[in-house]
Amino acid sequence: MTDQEATQQETTGQEYFDHLIEQDSRVEPRDWMPEAYRKTLTRQVSQHAHSEIIGMQPEANWITRAPSLKRKAILMAKVQDEAGHGLYLYSAAETLGTPRDVLNQQLLDGKAKYSSIFNYPARTWADIGAIGWLVDGAAICNQVPLCRASYGPYGRAMVRICKEESFHQRQGWEILYELSNGTPEQKQMAQDAVNRFYGPALQMFGPPDADSPHSQQSMDWKIKRFSNDDLRQRFVDMIVPQVEALGLTLPDPDLKWNEDRGHYDYGELDWEEFFAVIKGQGPCNRQRMQRRREAHREGAWVREAAAAYAEKTSQTAASALIGA
Ligand code: 3HC
């Protein structure tokens, strides 16, 4: 292709892309897209996939300690769902042109981010309830608008993920509900868990809008539909009546209904802590990455066996074709 043809293709491509975005239609993998759009989506979708995979760890630690067979079965199903979410998301990310092993290597090398929330420990059984109710609740609030993301494979993956997240949130709520209606010690355990997870769950929505370098462009491209602060506010408004129904409280003395705004006001979050956690200095960053690297090493034989099997079956299919 000559330079002139390439420039022409880019101009037509850009016009068509702009048209798709303006019409609130979907960009598909075969469509021309600006490199910056491809790059930001690869970044967001792969970070999201990494979060799902690392996010299995705090809860998987509790499968053997869950208080009944029923609770173990439910928790195991939830952790498996998270693995599935990671797989849908890596598949969506791959359609943008970067192979999954490259994305995975970025995580293993510590070059890729994953959600801050998964660097906090799950200390008690009530934490599993708080993770389900608050963390999966925040995830739903953030991810339902992503079902309408302008990039087709991402939006479609999110539809299925959000359905499963709703079940996850209900299981967390139910754990907390039982504990908060149990003995005084159980209720206290539920309150402690909510106290520890409230701030980090609100930080999952990302830095304040003024400190969010990607939000505006991502909203212009209709990848994100709302800003970080808008979604955080929506989440706070949603959980206040829920915490009242649980008979628990949120650990924020500044939380109060603002009649003029029609929203709850809430106190400043600890952004210093947030930035430290995403730089690798959270309570569990090292342990999470160490476990992920170990799991990757231990899984090498599975990848090798799958590759050998794929090779063998493709050879058999090729011989059958020649034979035919
Ligand atoms: N944890 C870690 N890093 C974060 C973060 C968080 N909570 N919030 C923001 N960041 C990072 C961004 O990735 C970006 O880093 P980069 O420039 O190095 O890539 C930087 O901080 C600036 O933030 P921006 O607000 O400008 O970035 P975005 O526009 O991408 O917004 C986001 C951040 C809201 C997290 C957005 O990427 C998003 O909506 N992602 C999809 C949802 C997602 O990934 N959720 C993670 C949780 S998954 C989950 O909850 C699993 C469930 O099973 C519980």
Side-chain angles (χ1 to χ4, degrees), residues 43 47 82 113 116 142 165 206 212-214 224 228 278:
R43 177 188 64 77
Q47 286 177 0
E82 309 297 1
K113 289 197 172 76
S116 48
N142 166 260
E165 294 294 2
S212 164
H214 303 296
K224 285 168 83 161
N228 299 354
I278 67 173

Side-chain angles (χ1 to χ4, degrees), residues 43-44 47-48 51-52 82 113-116 118 135-136 139 142-143 146 154 165 203-207 212-215 224 228 274 278:
R43 177 188 64 77
Q44 175 167 330
Q47 286 177 0
H48 193 167
S51 304
E52 301 280 355
E82 309 297 1
K113 289 197 172 76
Y114 60 86
S115 185
S116 48
F118 301 119
V135 174
D136 291 87
N142 166 260
Q143 293 172 21
L146 292 173
Y154 191 32
E165 294 294 2
Q203 290 174 336
M204 285 172 70
F205 293 94
S212 164
H214 303 296
S215 279
K224 285 168 83 161
N228 299 354
F274 170 78
I278 67 173

Side-chain angles (χ1 to χ4, degrees), residues 69-208:
L69 184 58
K70 184 178 143 199
R71 294 286 186 199
K72 283 187 210 304
I74 295 172
L75 188 58
M76 203 150 32
K78 178 180 190 281
V79 173
Q80 278 179 343
D81 282 353
E82 309 297 1
H85 298 174
L87 299 189
Y88 311 149
L89 288 164
Y90 282 125
S91 301
E94 277 194 315
T95 64
L96 291 155
T98 310
R100 181 168 146 191
D101 52 356
V102 173
L103 298 170
N104 190 42
Q105 197 57 46
Q106 291 168 354
L107 174 68
L108 297 174
D109 291 344
K111 291 184 185 144
K113 289 197 172 76
Y114 60 86
S115 185
S116 48
I117 190 71
F118 301 119
N119 293 306
Y120 291 87
R123 293 191 199 287
T124 67
W125 173 246
D127 286 13
I128 299 301
I131 291 174
W133 175 51
L134 285 173
V135 174
D136 291 87
I140 295 172
C141 202
N142 166 260
Q143 293 172 21
V144 165
L146 292 173
C147 296
R148 294 190 294 121
S150 57
Y151 188 57
Y154 191 32
R156 288 190 287 275
M158 291 315 306
V159 172
R160 183 151 175 195
I161 291 176
C162 285
K163 284 187 188 156
E164 293 176 351
E165 294 294 2
S166 305
F167 152 71
H168 297 172
Q169 192 196 18
R170 293 300 298 227
Q171 68 89 39
W173 161 272
E174 208 247 333
I175 291 172
L176 288 182
Y177 187 80
E178 291 231 341
L179 290 173
S180 62
N181 287 285
T183 63
E185 290 79 9
Q186 286 172 326
K187 186 169 183 182
Q188 188 57 49
M189 187 163 80
Q191 183 63 60
D192 289 345
V194 169
N195 290 353
R196 276 183 281 111
F197 276 91
Y198 170 75
L202 258 57
Q203 290 174 336
M204 285 172 70
F205 293 94

Side-chain angles (χ1 to χ4, degrees), residues 226-254:
F226 301 98
S227 76
N228 299 354
D229 285 334
D230 283 351
L231 289 173
R232 196 170 3 254
Q233 179 71 64
R234 196 181 271 208
F235 181 61
V236 171
D237 292 347
M238 191 178 92
I239 59 172
V240 172
Q242 293 181 4
V243 83
E244 285 166 4
L246 283 172
L248 300 174
T249 55
L250 295 172
D252 179 358
D254 298 326

